[in-house]
Amino acid sequence: MNHLKAIISFCLVSSSLMSVAQYDASKVNKKAIEAYTRGLENAQEDRYNEAIQDLQEAIQRDPKYVEAYLSLAGVYGQMKNREQSVATYEKAFTIDSNYTSDFRLPYSINLAGMGQFDKALQTIDALLAKSNLNPNTRKAAEYRRKTYQFALDYAKQHPAGNYVFAPQNLGDEINTKESEYFPSIPIESDKLVFTRRLRGMNEDFFGSMRQNGKWITAQPLPGNINTPMNEGAQNISQDGTMLIFTGCNREGGVGGCDIYISYLTRNGWSEAINLGNKVNSEGWDSQPSLSPDKRDLYFASKRPGGLGGSDIYVTHLQSNGRWSEPENMGPGINTSGDEFSPFIHADNQTLYFTSNGLPGYGDEDLFVTRRGADGKWGTPQNLGYPINTINEEGTIFVAADSKTAYYSSDRSDSRGGLDIYSFELRDDIRPFKTLWIKGKVFDKNTNAGLPSAVELIDLETKQTLSKVQTDETGNYLITLPTGKDYAFNVNRRGYLFYSDNYSLKNKTADSTYEKNIPLQPIEANASVVLRNIFFDFNKYELKPESQIELDKVVQLLQDNPTVKIQIEGHTDNIGNAADNLKLSENRAKAAIAYISSKGIDPKRLASKGFGATKPIADNKIEEGRAQNRRTELKVVSR
């Protein structure tokens, strides 16, 4: 029974129980009763506009007709016209406050729907003070009291400041009289993919491109991904090459609803592939979200063994190309209720999801949790009002800029059913702004593209944030969250690894990077700059952040047991030349000492300092001097 029908039923029961004291049927205008009866019939068939007209007619014929006011208020509430609902309830209360006292419950719900949680709490407290309250009403009132108190406590702990929640409808190019939902955007933000329900039945995928800042008219996705069956709950990979989604009741499926994957080809999207019984279960598996490096897949499932009705799981892509056994994300996220609609942001550290088991505003709320330096997820945080309301909240997608969010709603300016909207997130619930690096890895000698592994590592925590595999021709895209300092490495067996550094902790970057990377075959005299070897000014003790890079050197030597190397130190031209030479020699020796301590035969290792004698950039400017202060690895022999 939905909210409105519960109110109507409650109204009818209350009327039958109390009309002896309040109403004499012979004194109620018969024409008003006829209009009231029609209004109830229309309301129960969801014909709300007709119901409003009938109930207003009943009130016009009998201005003291309390039941008509109460049912009219219920209809307004169902249509989410909270202001009219509250005003109509208040009119009924003025006619007879005693007879209408139990209706303080739906009245409080509509107050809360307007964000008036303090008044809603006062109303529900007065209702709960009644000694003869119906047990079912008391139970419902106690639940609502808890949600209203949560809302007030949250507002005290998270003052909104100047934040304004102002969702913008994406317009007629995206939204239609049908329902549109599950928006998804790759990191370059020029493509939107979403689900549209056609004729109220079939779900298909549509896409739109942004041109000159505006979305063009959405079209069905090209290729073989859309079928006469339902396709829904999709998520596009951050590089825009993979679409992972839910398909139900398909031939060859594992359960009722399974997770499928499709690939972008020259001819459009490929025919979908079921992820198989390692990922899918005999139960309901849905709403997938792929990590930006495409190595972790988060999804909702009702499989046996969970903590509630629906839990959030994660599966990991293994080195053999297969997905691991899904892991329940545990009681820190999942509850005895339902958790679903996970979304992992492009920063690979911030996860949004929906829950009806965690404390909130009622029904289903949106939450955010963040991965800590230890790799564990933190305590989920409610996104707060007015993003969350007393109604069910569905899904959220946050763009790489960290502030632009997309969601679906049936707001008053909807073209019909659910529409897709965008809005700006409040500062404290934003993920990291995320840039990206893209380019091609190739052989330095032949220029042929090389399939390679690309890694992004947090220098402070030594945690690998992303690890992607290039395509067969060496093309790659890797996300780059701001707020941290990173080691960027590219690896392929038989080649010297490539090293770079992105320092984004203390500066705000506002651009993306394109970096084509030549890898050098391991051969005599091949060399590479180790950009993640760090020393304090005029010191030669290795800083802890250097361990990541030097461990890569150790791995290189372990994989190539006959290779001999020389570590070379270089400085800029500031200061005394002799001192610079000595400093560069000591820095090179410090690196060799670390490598040797990891079990590498010292006979394979050599060090040499060159001071400022081999600059690679202009020492007249700081940017050039920074490039000249470097540590290099040179292959002596293979």
Side-chain angles (χ1 to χ4, degrees):
M1 182 179 291
N2 65 29
H3 175 65
L4 172 62
K5 291 180 180 177
I7 290 174
I8 292 173
S9 176
F10 184 40
C11 187
L12 291 171
V13 171
S14 298
S15 177
S16 65
L17 293 175
M18 303 178 67
S19 59
V20 172
Q22 290 295 322
Y23 291 102
D24 183 343
S26 63
K27 293 183 179 180
V28 177
N29 184 289
K30 290 184 179 180
K31 292 291 186 181
I33 295 174
E34 291 176 3
Y36 174 72
T37 303
R38 290 197 308 271
L40 293 187
E41 292 173 352
N42 280 321
Q44 291 186 333
E45 295 298 325
D46 297 337
R47 296 189 293 267
Y48 298 135
N49 290 327
E50 293 89 336
I52 289 174
Q53 292 176 4
D54 292 331
L55 294 171
Q56 287 176 337
E57 180 186 339
I59 291 170
Q60 186 177 11
R61 293 182 180 279
D62 192 338
K64 299 296 184 180
Y65 199 172
V66 174
E67 285 92 342
Y69 282 105
L70 295 173
S71 293
L72 179 59
V75 173
Y76 281 135
Q78 188 67 13
M79 296 179 72
K80 298 182 182 177
N81 188 340
R82 306 294 186 187
E83 292 81 1
Q84 284 284 11
S85 181
V86 165
T88 307
Y89 276 123
E90 290 176 348
K91 177 63 177 178
F93 299 158
T94 62
I95 295 172
D96 191 323
S97 61
N98 182 56
Y99 178 81
T100 58
S101 62
D102 283 359
F103 287 87
R104 264 56 176 187
L105 175 58
Y107 170 63
S108 75
I109 292 172
N110 282 282
L111 285 170
M114 297 167 62
Q116 296 184 19
F117 296 105
D118 51 352
K119 191 173 180 179
L121 183 61
Q122 295 169 12
T123 300
I124 216 72
D125 281 342
L127 178 63
L128 285 169
K130 291 181 60 177
S131 59
N132 61 341
L133 195 61
N134 178 283
N136 289 334
T137 302
R138 182 174 294 279
K139 181 179 179 181
E142 288 172 346
Y143 167 75
R144 290 294 177 178
R145 187 193 187 286
K146 183 167 61 176
T147 65
Y148 303 159
Q149 187 63 60
F150 171 87
L152 293 172
D153 292 342
Y154 188 97
K156 290 179 182 178
Q157 297 165 9
H158 303 83
N162 296 324
Y163 176 68
V164 176
F165 180 64
Q168 300 295 311
N169 191 298
L170 293 196
D172 296 337
E173 289 71 24
I174 304 298
N175 296 312
T176 67
K177 64 180 180 180
E178 308 283 358
S179 282
E180 287 81 21
Y181 41 92
F182 276 107
S184 182
I185 300 175
I187 196 166
E188 294 188 87
S189 299
D190 60 355
K191 180 188 300 181
L192 170 68
V193 176
F194 59 92
T195 302
R196 177 177 290 166
R197 182 177 288 274
L198 301 171
R199 298 175 296 280
M201 298 174 57
N202 183 41
E203 292 178 309
D204 275 348
F205 297 135
F206 282 70
S208 174
M209 298 294 293
R210 185 162 22 208
Q211 296 181 356
N212 300 319
K214 295 182 178 181
W215 297 107
I216 64 174
T217 302
Q219 300 293 331
L221 290 189
N224 300 314
I225 190 169
N226 287 325
T227 71
M229 306 290 288
N230 283 345
E231 294 82 29
Q234 89 297 333
N235 177 250
I236 193 169
S237 62
Q238 289 295 296
D239 62 4
T241 64
M242 297 166 57
L243 196 71
I244 196 153
F245 68 94
T246 307
C248 298
N249 304 315
R250 294 191 172 203
E251 184 178 353
V254 179
C257 290
D258 288 353
I259 297 174
Y260 291 77
I261 190 167
S262 173
Y263 299 92
L264 185 61
T265 71
R266 293 180 180 178
N267 299 317
W269 291 95
S270 70
E271 186 175 340
I273 301 170
N274 190 300
L275 289 192
N277 59 13
K278 195 65 174 286
V279 173
N280 293 310
S281 69
E282 294 181 356
W284 175 86
D285 301 287
S286 185
Q287 302 169 339
S289 181
L290 199 60
S291 66
D293 57 5
K294 299 186 285 191
R295 302 182 68 84
D296 303 314
L297 174 62
Y298 302 84
F299 64 98
S301 178
K302 294 182 180 179
R303 65 187 60 204
L307 302 180
S310 170
D311 282 4
I312 296 176
Y313 290 77
V314 61
T315 177
H316 309 287
L317 189 64
Q318 302 172 108
S319 57
N320 61 6
R322 297 178 180 177
W323 293 100
S324 68
E325 192 73 33
E327 304 166 9
N328 189 296
M329 294 195 70
I333 290 177
N334 293 315
T335 70
S336 58
D338 294 316
E339 280 71 41
F340 43 92
S341 299
F343 163 67
I344 183 70
H345 185 258
D347 69 1
N348 210 17
Q349 301 167 73
T350 309
L351 181 73
Y352 296 87
F353 65 97
T354 306
S355 173
N356 63 15
L358 293 167
Y361 296 83
D363 286 331
E364 299 160 358
D365 281 4
L366 288 161
F367 292 81
V368 60
T369 179
R370 307 175 197 277
R371 183 164 25 210
D374 58 0
K376 296 180 180 179
W377 293 100
T379 301
Q381 177 186 353
N382 193 295
L383 297 195
Y385 181 83
I387 297 173
N388 285 322
T389 67
I390 64 169
N391 302 313
E392 295 180 357
E393 316 306 335
T395 63
I396 190 171
F397 182 96
V398 184
D401 67 4
S402 83
K403 64 181 181 180
T404 306
Y406 297 84
Y407 82 135
S408 294
S409 180
D410 56 350
R411 295 172 64 86
S412 59
D413 61 344
S414 165
R415 274 50 173 175
L418 292 170
D419 277 8
I420 298 175
Y421 292 78
S422 66
F423 66 92
E424 188 170 304
L425 274 181
R426 204 173 65 241
D427 287 349
D428 63 301
I429 53 176
R430 291 180 182 178
F432 285 106
K433 178 180 178 180
T434 305
L435 308 175
W436 65 92
I437 316 167
K438 68 177 181 179
K440 184 173 184 176
V441 182
F442 59 94
D443 185 300
K444 183 180 180 181
N445 295 338
T446 67
N447 291 327
L450 293 175
S452 311
V454 182
E455 293 180 294
L456 193 71
I457 303 167
D458 184 331
L459 283 170
E460 183 176 359
T461 66
K462 301 179 177 62
Q463 179 184 357
T464 300
L465 293 184
S466 292
K467 184 177 181 179
V468 303
Q469 185 71 29
T470 69
D471 65 17
E472 288 302 310
T473 58
N475 294 302
Y476 74 95
L477 183 149
I478 193 165
T479 57
L480 185 64
T482 60
K484 297 177 183 291
D485 293 339
Y486 300 102
F488 175 78
N489 296 118
V490 182
N491 307 279
R492 179 178 168 84
R493 186 175 292 274
Y495 290 78
L496 293 180
F497 65 86
Y498 173 85
S499 164
D500 210 336
N501 173 270
Y502 291 93
S503 298
L504 304 179
K505 187 173 184 178
N506 297 316
K507 66 178 182 179
T508 301
D510 57 2
S511 62
T512 58
Y513 301 85
E514 183 162 349
K515 188 173 288 291
N516 296 316
I517 298 169
L519 290 186
Q520 300 185 73
I522 299 175
E523 56 191 10
N525 296 317
S527 65
V528 63
V529 177
L530 303 177
R531 291 189 171 88
N532 293 294
I533 306 295
F534 303 102
F535 304 92
D536 282 328
F537 174 73
N538 209 31
K539 303 287 185 181
Y540 56 84
E541 291 82 13
L542 289 165
K543 298 185 73 172
E545 301 94 306
S546 306
Q547 179 182 337
I548 295 170
E549 192 92 312
L550 290 171
D551 285 345
K552 291 287 183 185
V553 177
V554 172
Q555 186 65 51
L556 175 74
L557 293 169
Q558 289 173 340
D559 291 341
N560 300 273
T562 63
V563 167
K564 295 182 179 180
I565 65 167
Q566 178 170 282
I567 299 296
E568 302 178 347
H570 300 266
T571 69
D572 59 28
N573 66 351
I574 302 299
N576 180 273
D579 290 342
N580 284 338
L581 181 62
K582 186 67 174 177
L583 179 64
S584 66
E585 290 174 347
N586 286 334
R587 287 180 170 178
K589 288 178 181 178
I592 289 294
Y594 180 92
I595 296 168
S596 178
S597 74
K598 296 299 180 178
I600 301 300
D601 187 347
K603 294 178 181 178
R604 300 173 60 194
L605 308 173
S607 64
K608 189 171 184 179
F610 291 90
T613 62
K614 290 190 173 184
I616 58 174
D618 189 350
N619 269 313
K620 295 179 180 179
I621 58 175
E622 174 52 35
E623 183 179 352
R625 290 192 293 272
Q627 293 182 53
N628 292 331
R629 298 188 296 268
R630 68 195 189 278
T631 303
E632 290 190 15
L633 180 155
K634 179 181 178 181
V635 177
V636 175
S637 67
R638 181 161 187 186

